[in-house]
Every structure is written in C-alpha cells, then in structure tokens.
Amino acid sequence: MAIVVERERKYSGDEAFRLPDLTGCGGVTAMSDATALDLDAVYLDTTDLRLARSGFALRRRTGGHDAGWHLKVGATGGPRTEYQFPAGPDDSDPPPELVALFRAASRGRPVAPAARIVTRRRERRLLDPAGRTLAEVAEDRVEAHDLVGGERQAWHEIEVELVDGDEALLDAVEGRLREAGARPVPVSKSHRALASRLAAARPAPADPGAAPVLDHAAAQRDALIGNHPGAWSGDEDAVHDMRVAVRRLRSTLRTFGGLWDRRESELVRGELRWLGGQLGPVRDTQVMAARLADAVHAEPDELVLGPVAARLAERFAADLATALDELRTALDSDRYAELLRRLDALLEGPPARAVDARWVARRVRRAVRRADERLDRALAAGHRAGGTDDIALHEARKAAKAARYAVEVREPAAGKPAARLVAQLKDLQDLLGAHQDSTVTREVLRRQALRAYAAGENTFTYGVLHAGQAAAADRELPGLLRARDRARRRKVRRWLTRAG
C-alpha cells in the first residue's frame, strides 16, 4: 500500500477555455510539453452513497502512472489522503486491507459500482529553474455515467496538484486561471457524477431549534469517520482526533439528552464509551512514550543510571503493538458498524421532541455550572487534605471538557463571546489535564521501577523522574486558580443568559 497526501485544486472551463502560460507563477520558469493519458475509473459505493456522503471516494482505475485501487479521504480543495493498492486484471472487489480503511464510511455494508468516469487528460509539469516539478496541471475532458441512476454528463476540468510547490504557487496559478476564464469547482469528479442521487440522499433539514445541536453532533460523527483510516493505521493525530470526536459525541448526547429517545441515546453513548475504550490505550501509550522519552532526555547524563530509556521504549513498543491490534479488531467488528448505523439514525431521524434556542441555552448553562461545581469541590477537598485530590481533579477535568463541548454548540451563532469562553475552558481543561498526566505518569514510573528492581537494575533514575513529575504538578496549581478566575469573569460569561 502507498499513502499519498494530495493537495490540489479543481476548476471548470467552457469549450473556449485555453490553458494560459503559467510561467512566472510562484517560481515556475517553464512548462513541460503535454503528455496525453486515457483514464477509466469505476467508483464504488453503498446503495445510499455513504462513502461519498462521508467525503470518501473509492475507485478502480486503469491508465495513468498509478493505475489500481484508490481510496481518497477528505474534502476537495484541502489536503486529501489517498491510499493506493495494486489491482489484478480481473479484480472486481477491493482488497481486504482497503475494505478495513473504509469500513466506517460504508457502515460495514457492501459496496458496488456506482459511477464510471472516463477522462482524456493532457498533463503538463510546472518546473522551477533547477528542473524540479513544482506542480502538475491536467486538462481533463470528462465523461461520467451514473451506473445506477443512468444520468450521463460531460465537462471540461482543470486540476492543479502540488508536487514540490506550496500553497502560494496554487494561489498564483489560480489567479492566472481565473483571468483566463476558469472557475473553481468545489466537488470531486465522482461527486459531480453522482450529484442527483447525492441530493436525493441528503437528510431533510433539521428543525431550527435543534439544528445547532444536530449540526455539531453530525460534524463529530463525520470527524470520527474521516479519521478511521488513519486510526486503523496507527497514525497518532488520527487516533487523537477520533478519540476527541468520540468524547464530543458522548458529551453532546448527555448534555442535550432530551432531544432524542432516552433509551436509544443512552445505548449509543454506552457504545461510544466502548469505542473510546479501544482508542484510549493506543493514544495514552503514544503520549506516555513521548512524555517519558523527553523526560529522560532532559535529565543530566550523570542522573540516568542504567538502561532506563531502552527499558521504557521496550515496554511502550510492546504495549502499543497490543493496543493497536485490539483497536483494529474493534474497528473491524460488526459491533462498531452497528454503532455507526445507530448514530446515523439518531442524528438524521426526527428528534424525540421539539426544542428552541432557549432550551439549548439552558442546557449549555447547566453544563458550565456543573463544571464550576466540580472544580470547587475538587479544590476544597484538596485543601482539606493539605494537598490535592487527584480523583476529584480528574472529575473536574471531565466536567470542564463537557462544558467546553456544550459551549461549542452555540459558538456558530454566538460568535466571539462563545469563542472566548471556549478558549478559557480549554485553558482550564489543559491545566487539569497536565495534572492528570502527571498523576498517571508517576504511577507508570512506580511500576516500571518495581520491574527494574526485580530485574536487578538500578532504580535511582525512576525516583528522580517521579519527583520531577510531582514537582511539576505542584507548580501547576497557581496557574489553575488563575485560569479558573479568568473563565468566570462576567464579561466572558454574560452572553450565556441570552438564548439567541
């Protein structure tokens, strides 16, 4: 499998359009002669076009330098990740490794040919003075056929894809193309070919009162699905982003629980908790490995006694391999696919009750008030104990996250006031998170020291690291108090009492 990050922009032009000279754009000093290519691609999707609706495109293409199976993930106009697999001459079904990457987008359902796109391409390379290819420009004559609906279309399209160039080059080329009469195209070829069926599959608009909540939840569902391929592959950012999307969904279903059938929403929340439990060990191990590697590296050589770095690396490598295997098993399971189907039904079906902006605002205020109460209790418990109550602070952190996610629901309508509160709550959450990370790290170090002792190794450095983590936690408390006060300022919160 090859993985390519594609950065391209698309444009349409009428029959009279002619590709202008692009030299002088962003360091381009020459354009190569055109290379003619004939491309024939069959796009596959579920019967309800879940892949296309989730920002995925699955195709088997012949012709060109990268013929084979391709899975593209991401919206047109921004970076898209493309997974490429070779294809045999008689392959009609995608390979199992590829199926695993789009299982979330398909909701575990089978895929079948949805559209065929035949492209006659003239491709040129944009070169710098050293002969490097900065970008490739393709003029495409496209013929598309919806294999289910029967609709046929034809159009002229221009693609500009970066190779060694940058966004400034894309901007410069776009300016030149617009001057020549080209217009930006916001969708891919496959979306354009399936436009009629995609429009028919689009859910009915939500009631205005519920729309902010449903839109927010749908965005998190889409983030979960969009990060599935990367998480399945173990990409750290994708695992993190998928886990955050799961947390946001769970929090939204709880904060605004009255919007849905209570039994079904709680069932979905429980399944999201299960999914988060599969993502957690992978992400926590990745973070802890980096955290402790940095901590060991920061210590003077004379304080690092024994193979501390090597032992930690060995432990985390083994833990990560196990956690990633278990995550892949979960992501390949029927349970996961069923969770996504139930989530779709909640977010795309009619709400259990009609709500208005005041109802949403009340629940946001309640989430913020709960976060205040949890933090006050945690600080008071720590004060009584003469230190900190780590368990209570962890609960306060979770409440701060829930409050932040709730405020995010109102951010599109409330604008800057909501954005300011989101930022203050994030600062508070981050400080509480740093304290929790210190607590967990100390326990990891304690256990690792016991292993080292049992193996007859020097445990001095583990004690040094443990003390450093404890000192860092103590230093964070004043910052936590300041962040709490900033988040509770009247000018940051007064908008909360307004419903609009």
Side-chain angles (χ1 to χ4, degrees):
M1 176 180 68
I3 303 176
V4 178
V5 177
E6 179 184 83
R7 295 175 296 163
E8 69 176 15
R9 297 183 190 178
K10 295 176 179 287
Y11 306 88
S12 64
D14 58 26
E15 290 301 316
F17 177 83
R18 295 293 180 269
L19 186 69
D21 181 3
L22 297 174
T23 58
C25 293
V28 174
T29 57
M31 295 175 63
S32 72
D33 293 335
T35 300
L37 301 168
D38 290 326
L39 310 175
D40 191 342
V42 173
Y43 286 79
L44 292 82
D45 211 325
T46 61
T47 56
D48 57 353
L49 302 179
R50 278 291 175 185
L51 267 66
R53 291 162 63 186
S54 300
F56 284 57
L58 171 66
R59 72 186 178 199
R60 184 184 186 280
R61 190 168 77 179
T62 58
H65 54 79
D66 61 350
W69 288 101
H70 302 158
L71 177 68
K72 292 190 177 186
V73 182
T76 299
R80 304 181 79 192
T81 301
E82 182 175 311
Y83 301 86
Q84 301 174 350
F85 285 78
D90 301 320
D91 288 354
S92 58
D93 296 318
E97 299 92 337
L98 193 57
V99 173
L101 298 181
F102 66 75
R103 183 173 179 80
S106 70
R107 297 357 182 225
R109 295 191 173 103
V111 295
R116 182 185 180 193
I117 297 176
V118 177
T119 304
R120 297 185 62 85
R121 170 168 290 181
R122 286 173 56 82
E123 189 173 83
R124 298 176 186 268
R125 291 175 293 122
L126 304 185
L127 308 173
D128 71 1
R132 288 188 313 149
T133 300
L134 299 179
E136 293 177 344
V137 179
E139 292 183 89
D140 293 340
R141 297 285 177 178
V142 184
E143 295 180 0
H145 180 202
D146 183 333
L147 297 175
V148 176
E151 184 177 0
R152 294 180 182 270
Q153 303 177 62
W155 65 85
H156 183 200
E157 185 170 291
I158 304 94
E159 287 187 4
V160 185
E161 182 174 353
L162 288 180
V163 181
D164 288 328
D166 55 20
E167 292 292 323
L169 170 60
L170 287 179
D171 292 340
V173 169
E174 177 166 317
R176 193 75 58 86
L177 292 176
R178 282 175 172 268
E179 290 174 0
R183 302 174 302 280
V185 175
V187 296
S188 65
K189 289 182 177 68
S190 57
H191 272 67
R192 196 163 175 176
L194 297 167
S196 296
R197 283 203 289 143
L198 283 169
R202 190 175 300 124
D207 179 82
V213 179
L214 294 174
D215 289 348
H216 179 76
Q220 304 316 312
R221 185 250 342 245
D222 295 345
L224 187 163
I225 291 165
N227 281 290
H228 168 102
W232 195 95
S233 302
D235 178 80
E236 292 187 13
D237 290 338
V239 173
H240 170 74
D241 291 346
M242 189 173 181
R243 189 186 190 189
V244 170
V246 168
R247 286 172 170 169
R248 280 190 167 103
L249 282 166
R250 286 187 60 211
S251 182
T252 300
L253 290 174
R254 179 186 179 187
T255 300
F256 305 98
L259 191 57
W260 299 280
D261 174 79
R262 182 75 65 180
R263 183 173 180 275
E264 184 65 14
S265 66
E266 284 302 305
L267 187 153
V268 171
R269 281 193 76 242
E271 290 300 275
L272 286 168
R273 184 184 301 110
W274 163 77
L275 178 57
Q278 309 304 308
L279 291 159
V282 177
R283 182 58 182 159
D284 290 344
T285 302
Q286 291 168 337
V287 170
M288 188 63 67
R291 181 183 179 94
L292 284 178
D294 290 344
V296 173
H297 181 73
E299 292 295 335
D301 291 345
E302 63 269 20
L303 296 185
V304 180
L305 306 182
V308 177
R311 291 291 182 263
L312 289 170
E314 289 168 4
R315 174 194 170 167
F316 290 126
D319 289 351
L320 181 58
T322 299
L324 190 53
D325 283 346
E326 292 175 354
L327 174 61
R328 286 173 175 155
T329 298
L331 297 183
D332 289 339
S333 69
D334 292 340
R335 180 177 181 178
Y336 174 58
E338 177 64 16
L339 160 61
L340 295 175
R341 291 192 289 267
R342 286 181 175 273
L343 185 58
D344 287 337
L346 275 185
L347 303 186
E348 297 174 5
R353 59 178 294 179
V355 301
D356 58 17
R358 291 189 298 274
W359 184 90
V360 173
R362 284 197 300 272
R363 274 143 189 83
V364 173
R365 290 196 298 272
R366 183 184 300 169
V368 173
R369 187 165 58 248
R370 183 185 301 118
D372 291 345
E373 293 168 352
R374 289 280 178 87
L375 180 57
D376 289 344
R377 286 203 299 268
L379 293 174
H383 181 73
R384 288 194 298 271
T388 60
D389 186 324
D390 295 337
I391 295 175
L393 285 174
H394 182 48
E395 292 301 315
R397 178 197 183 193
K398 292 192 289 186
K401 281 184 183 179
R404 173 188 162 200
Y405 298 156
V407 174
E408 286 175 347
V409 169
R410 295 194 61 192
E411 189 174 348
K416 288 183 179 179
R420 281 194 293 268
L421 182 53
V422 167
Q424 299 291 358
L425 289 170
K426 185 178 186 304
D427 288 345
L428 190 61
Q429 169 195 323
D430 288 346
L431 286 164
L432 288 164
H435 181 89
Q436 174 66 9
D437 290 344
S438 170
T439 301
V440 174
T441 303
R442 279 176 276 161
E443 178 59 19
V444 169
L445 287 167
R446 187 186 71 82
R447 293 182 181 179
Q448 192 63 28
L450 291 174
R451 291 185 182 183
Y453 179 79
E457 295 174 355
N458 195 309
T459 62
F460 172 80
T461 302
Y462 297 108
V464 171
L465 296 172
H466 190 286
Q469 293 294 320
D474 290 340
R475 289 194 300 269
E476 287 157 5
L477 185 57
L480 176 61
L481 297 176
R482 290 192 295 270
R484 175 201 62 185
D485 294 341
R486 288 194 299 269
R488 296 185 183 183
R489 288 181 297 179
R490 185 173 180 276
K491 67 178 182 179
V492 175
R493 295 197 175 189
R494 59 190 172 198
W495 68 274
L496 281 170
T497 58
R498 300 192 296 268

